Amino acid sequence: MYYQNLKQSLNALKSKIADTVSDVNERSYVLQAIDELCLLCDQQIQEINIHVHQHR
């Protein structure tokens, strides 16, 4: 649940950055970093799901 909430917050932050950061290079750099954090969240969610299914 934590990682899903974190991912939602990151996606909200992406929208805000896309709307407010005018420097294209800076914006793409920050958005790429957020995308990588979202991928990490996805990996953690998958691992937790696998772990939960193994213990049923």
Side-chain angles (χ1 to χ4, degrees), residues 3-46:
Y3 289 104
Q4 289 168 328
N5 292 338
L6 180 58
K7 190 175 174 190
Q8 286 177 335
S9 298
L10 288 168
N11 281 321
L13 183 61
K14 273 177 67 173
S15 300
K16 199 164 205 136
I17 288 168
D19 293 341
T20 56
V21 179
S22 56
D23 183 287
V24 177
N25 291 332
E26 186 178 339
R27 185 172 58 218
S28 65
Y29 176 76
V30 174
L31 292 178
Q32 182 181 350
I34 293 174
D35 282 340
E36 290 176 19
L37 288 171
C38 286
L39 284 174
L40 284 174
C41 288
D42 286 340
Q43 289 173 348
Q44 290 299 321
I45 291 167
Q46 281 183 329

